[in-house]
């Protein structure tokens, strides 16, 4: 047996079958746009997935979704599978920043434009067409500035931080923006910081632990990298017999329906929005790339800030996610 045929034997059956199926389908999927979603962890992400589908439907685009359900290896293979199928463009919402170079090179070699949405990657920017996302550093800074102003008369503000998924761009950048801003205020201290994986369940678990180990009377504020973790933290604060929003200030990022409702209920003090409705911008970028236009490497989404002064029932009624 030659070296080549030995190697052929080692191609896993499932991959070979999927490649064969893909090549048989090549004609059918030739004009398709593939959306590679990293997961389904909360309402924000469901809204983003929905936004892609409704934009594709509106434009009559042949659209396929691959959802990795938080599995990074699967997500890389989902991109690879769309490359093998020779789709005309790939929209990618990556789980985390690292490890994307090889599969992005495969897309480039196949001349398939890759549009990144919502999270960036550490790969060479020449390997993707554009990144459409919020400025996560700025989101963290704005939340910190709001909290600093709100607590400026307090001699000591002890904060705990619930971080997003380790290695993900919003977790890295929201921490950077917030922590740097807090460091400018001598009365403010971040006592602990831990991964809550952007989920309500994990946010509650980590906050329960902070309240037990640090002490419920010592914590003055919680900064959650998203609303779902803030909502989990609220459950933990209430279970410990404290009033969220009053005894312990709660600030977060996203602006989902439940988060904004919590502002109206007095349980969250401030939310900086992060827009998940990226379908229109993503498909505009696909169309531009297909025409051969050069796009800016980063399109930044504008985000609003909500607090108990600015939040209204009317804003909540208009919220689509
Ligand atoms: O990448 C954006 C973040 O990912 C959102 O803040 C969060 O809710 C989601 O899981």
């Amino acid at each position: 047996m030659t070296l080549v045929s030995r190697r052929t034997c080692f191609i896993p059956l499932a991959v070979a079958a999927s490649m064969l199926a893909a090549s048989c389908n090549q004609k059918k999927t030739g004009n398709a746009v593939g959306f590679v979603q990293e997961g389904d962890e909360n309402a924000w992400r469901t809204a983003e997935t929905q936004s892609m589908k409704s934009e594709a439907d509106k434009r009559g685009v042949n659209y396929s979704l691959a959802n990795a359900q938080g599995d990074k290896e699967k997500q890389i293979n989902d991109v690879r599978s769309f490359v093998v199928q020779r789709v005309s463009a790939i929209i990618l919402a990556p789980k985390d920043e690292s490890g994307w170079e090889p599969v992005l090179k495969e897309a480039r070699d196949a001349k398939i434009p890759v549009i990144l949405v919502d999270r960036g990657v550490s790969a060479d920017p020449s390997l993707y067409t554009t990144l459409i996302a919020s400025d996560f550093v700025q989101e963290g800074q704005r939340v910190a500035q709001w909290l600093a102003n709100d607590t400026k008369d307090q001699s000591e503000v002890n904060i705990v931080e619930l971080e997003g998924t380790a290695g993900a761009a919003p977790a890295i950048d929201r921490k950077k923006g917030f922590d740097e801003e807090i460091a400018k205020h001598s009365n403010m201290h971040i006592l602990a910081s831990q991964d809550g994986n952007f989920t309500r369940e994990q946010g509650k678990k980590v906050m329960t632990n902070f309240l037990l180990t640090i002490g419920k009377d010592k914590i003055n504020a919680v900064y959650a990298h998203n609303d779902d973790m803030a909502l989990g933290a609220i459950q933990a604060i209430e279970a410990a017999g404290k009033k969220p929003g009053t005894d312990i200030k709660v600030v977060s990022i996203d602006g989902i329906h439940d988060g904004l409702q919590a502002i109206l209920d007095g349980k969250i003090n401030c939310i900086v929005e992060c827009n998940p409705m990226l379908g229109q911008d993503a498909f505009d970028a696909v169309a531009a790339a297909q025409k051969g236009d050069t796009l800016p490497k980063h399109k930044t989404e504008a985000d609003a800030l909500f607090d108990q002064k600015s939040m209204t029932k009317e804003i909540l009624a208009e919220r689509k996610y």
Side-chain angles (χ1 to χ4, degrees):
M1 191 183 272
T2 65
L3 187 60
V4 172
S5 57
R6 263 181 211 279
R7 281 204 179 135
T8 309
C9 291
F10 288 123
I11 293 177
L13 213 56
V15 174
S18 116
M19 286 167 99
L20 182 65
S23 65
C24 294
N25 285 336
Q26 201 154 313
K27 216 169 160 199
K28 217 166 53 181
T29 56
N31 278 323
V33 171
F35 175 43
V36 182
Q37 176 59 285
E38 63 88 21
D40 229 354
E41 66 274 18
N42 52 43
W44 189 99
R45 198 145 293 282
T46 309
E48 185 188 52
T49 305
Q50 199 46 49
S51 166
M52 296 298 157
K53 169 143 180 34
S54 43
E55 193 61 30
D57 289 350
K58 200 153 75 182
R59 295 175 190 231
V61 171
N62 180 2
Y63 162 88
S64 290
L65 166 70
N67 193 320
Q69 305 294 347
D71 179 341
K72 172 74 179 288
E73 288 316 306
K74 176 176 182 325
Q75 202 184 19
I76 291 175
N77 281 326
D78 287 342
V79 175
R80 184 161 289 132
S81 170
F82 280 135
V83 172
V84 171
Q85 290 173 52
R86 293 289 185 269
V87 293
S88 52
I90 294 171
I91 301 171
L92 168 63
K95 179 178 179 190
D96 56 18
E97 289 191 339
S98 62
W100 290 100
E101 294 253 349
V103 79
L104 290 179
K105 281 183 181 158
E106 290 168 33
R108 179 201 56 196
D109 294 347
K111 299 196 173 21
I112 299 172
V114 176
I115 316 297
L116 296 180
V117 287
D118 117 55
R119 296 181 179 181
V121 296
S122 54
D124 188 314
S126 68
L127 293 174
Y128 56 87
T129 306
T130 189
L131 162 66
I132 299 162
S134 291
D135 183 333
F136 299 133
V137 175
Q138 199 183 77
E139 289 172 347
Q141 283 167 346
R142 291 176 77 193
V143 170
Q145 282 157 1
W146 187 94
L147 188 61
N149 186 51
D150 187 67
T151 57
K152 61 178 181 294
D153 298 328
Q154 285 176 228
S155 56
E156 198 170 67
V157 185
N158 292 319
I159 307 160
V160 293
E161 181 173 0
L162 301 173
E163 295 176 29
T165 310
I172 297 167
D173 292 350
R174 286 173 185 169
K175 180 169 180 58
K176 182 179 180 336
F178 184 85
D179 291 10
E180 282 175 3
E181 202 60 33
I182 293 300
K184 295 178 188 167
H185 302 272
S186 57
N187 63 331
M188 304 184 88
H189 317 283
I190 299 171
L191 298 186
S193 190
Q194 200 177 315
D195 186 350
N197 202 26
F198 284 128
T199 67
R200 211 171 285 204
E201 194 192 5
Q202 198 59 19
K204 181 179 179 185
K205 208 165 150 186
V206 175
M207 188 65 195
T208 302
N209 189 42
F210 283 159
L211 289 160
L212 278 172
T213 55
I214 297 167
K216 58 183 181 181
D217 296 323
K218 191 148 189 229
I219 300 171
N220 309 113
V222 50
Y223 165 46
H225 288 192
N226 80 344
D227 289 350
D228 271 87
M229 292 189 293
L231 292 159
I234 287 170
Q235 293 173 15
I237 294 167
E238 287 176 332
K242 289 280 179 184
K243 267 184 98 175
T246 308
D247 298 333
I248 298 178
K249 302 273 174 177
V250 181
V251 293
S252 69
I253 294 166
D254 266 3
I256 60 166
H257 187 279
D258 290 1
L260 297 181
Q261 178 66 57
I263 296 188
L264 289 179
D265 296 341
K267 296 182 180 187
I268 292 186
N269 303 86
C270 170
I271 293 176
V272 170
E273 181 184 41
C274 180
N275 181 17
M277 312 304 274
L278 304 176
Q280 187 176 336
D281 284 350
F283 279 90
D284 280 351
V286 167
Q290 284 168 345
K291 270 200 295 172
D293 293 351
T294 307
L295 292 165
K297 274 293 156 190
H298 191 171
K299 180 175 193 309
T300 309
E301 296 290 312
D303 296 321
L305 182 147
F306 303 101
D307 62 9
Q308 279 151 3
K309 279 189 214 132
S310 65
M311 189 56 207
T312 63
K313 280 185 189 155
E314 289 70 32
I315 295 174
L316 188 64
E318 277 173 20
R319 207 71 184 165
K320 294 193 177 65
Y321 51 94

